[in-house]
Amino acid sequence: MPLRPLPALGAALGAVLLVLPAVAGCSRGVQVAPAPQAGDPACARAAGLWPDTVGGAPRVETRGGDATTVAWGDPAVVARCGVPSSAPTTDPCVSADGVDWVARELTDGVALTTYGRSPAIEVLVPAEHGPAPLLAPAFTEAAKASASSSSFLAPEMRCETAPGGKRLGSRSSSRSTRLINRWLSAAS
């Protein structure tokens, strides 16, 4: 089943990512559209650092993209480098190994997008793989390679702050905590 953002998140996610299982003849693999900024040299660096496994799932063949798009398991966890950087948001944000990730709930999983890095990496995690934030550390090396220090957004563009030093969504602090606690309790 394809990963689709909730209707309200459609505009926020930008370009549509098409993830479909292969059904034609001998052609196998997961269909993945490359991200708009996939040609950025930083994405080539990230592509060399994709993990071999994610959450114990092995890498699977992809079609339609390039080395900047990759998938693991069935249903596939899909990552692609070159998505636009996120603006400040009240969506839940988690930090893993020094990389900030914005987590957006989808109808059938979660989209994790690096925050404060350009170009950004997007990881689509089907609900069957459990709590998405627990998979984020697998992408640390690729995420750090996808942005040089000169391409980081301003220091105030971190998970915990928005421009002007305000907390990201004081309304969302309890929402983020509830969402992360739900993910963690589902994992135990």
Side-chain angles (χ1 to χ4, degrees), residues 30-132:
V30 177
Q31 181 72 34
V32 182
Q37 300 168 12
D40 189 298
C43 286
R45 289 191 301 274
L49 296 169
W50 292 128
D52 293 328
T53 62
V54 172
R59 192 179 298 197
V60 297
E61 185 179 337
T62 58
R63 296 183 300 118
D66 54 25
T68 65
T69 61
V70 66
W72 299 262
D74 183 18
V77 171
V78 174
R80 62 187 191 145
C81 181
V83 298
S85 299
S86 294
T89 179
T90 57
D91 287 331
C93 193
V94 296
S95 192
D97 297 330
V99 177
D100 294 335
W101 298 87
V102 172
R104 291 183 180 91
E105 285 195 79
L106 306 174
T107 57
D108 52 358
V110 173
L112 296 173
T113 306
T114 54
Y115 185 73
R117 296 172 183 273
S118 180
I121 289 178
E122 175 183 67
V123 179
L124 301 176
V125 182
E128 293 86 347
H129 287 276

